[in-house]
Amino acid sequence: MPRQSDRTGLRRRLAELRGPEVPARPLDARALAALAANPGCDRRALLDGAGVDKAELARALGAPSDAGQSQFAFMRGNAFEARVKADGGAELLRLTHERLGGGPEPVPGLARVPDLSAAGPQGRAARTALALREAVAEGGWTLLDHPMLALDVAGSPAFLEPDAVVVAPDGSWAVVEIKSFPMIDGAADPTKVGAAARQSAVYVLALQEVAARLDPAPRVRERVLLVCPKDFSNLPAGAAVDVRKQLAVTRRQLSRLTRVEDIAGALPEGTAFDTELPADELTAAVEAVPAVYAPECLSACELAFHCRSRARGAGAVTALGRTVRGELGGLTTVADVLAAAHGEAGDPADPAVAALRRAQELREEALAGAVAASGAGPGWEV
């Protein structure tokens, strides 16, 4: 366990990286979920750990991000969430019982919906913890609308606000995530469901910390309720999503954030991410931290355009996607891949090299066959 003096020193160092008088941008569930989606990126881990505003940083680098929800999607999502929670959350509780169980079927109008208002995030988190304890003691169905949860991240609290938490008569707690993308014939876009699962896992982790302080500790469900519009209507449909895998990844990534001090310690003296710095100094500071770009970053990280440009400029195969990168083994650039395919480099015993050369042979055979079939003369080019 880090000593208090170590934590103070780390906070001071991270403040220096942000720049003088620059407040830390708090981590939220989306940021923590994105960290879990790309656990190998030191750049994101350090910038998020230091509380750097990556959107402002991207603008200063000349690569502003268009990541984020459109105003129309935001309004549509709010309208759908209001419908799901109408009438004291009767429909939401029905879906929770239908998909997750938890005791007798909820009776409309009898569920408790406690007031969670309080001063500041710390006050709201304390009020949420009290409401959860009261719900377990009283039994029955309880809906916590936009509770506030605190999660320890590298020694500092991150305040998180799930759409809802439901306490069932059996005392179990369940996270509810409400999204505006459709669920067609009982299934939704796997990519969007995966992103929702990673975000929900962060909430489950925070809820487990609250439960661990009670004796006996209530059961926090590791299956969350995902609520989406049914087909092309505005009617809600629910699905239980198992987030155990996402929980394990998130725990590992959060423990990795304790290495932020090591990442910061490897930077050149005087490195800072203050957006008031000249562009060349700021670019050098960002490039001093290793990044692992993947196309998925475009929907999850404000620095994605900058990192994509650098990855393409370096010919990095990561720009082609994690699946391709995984298949290519030790071949890390497009130039390496082409040289291996043409027999100019690479170990023939390497399965990736052998597969590339075989693919090149098949390509040449196919092109030769196309030339023969066309009856083209010697000057015909592919």
Side-chain angles (χ1 to χ4, degrees), residues 35-86:
L35 279 171
N38 192 2
C41 186
D42 284 355
R43 183 176 296 170
R44 171 136 201 175
L46 179 62
L47 293 175
D48 280 345
V52 174
D53 186 336
K54 296 193 301 299
E56 187 61 33
L57 181 59
R59 282 191 287 270
L61 291 170
S65 170
D66 61 357
Q69 200 174 37
S70 71
Q71 189 64 25
F72 173 74
F74 183 75
M75 294 173 61
R76 182 182 59 190
N78 281 346
F80 177 67
E81 182 176 336
R83 174 162 189 158
V84 171
K85 294 178 178 177

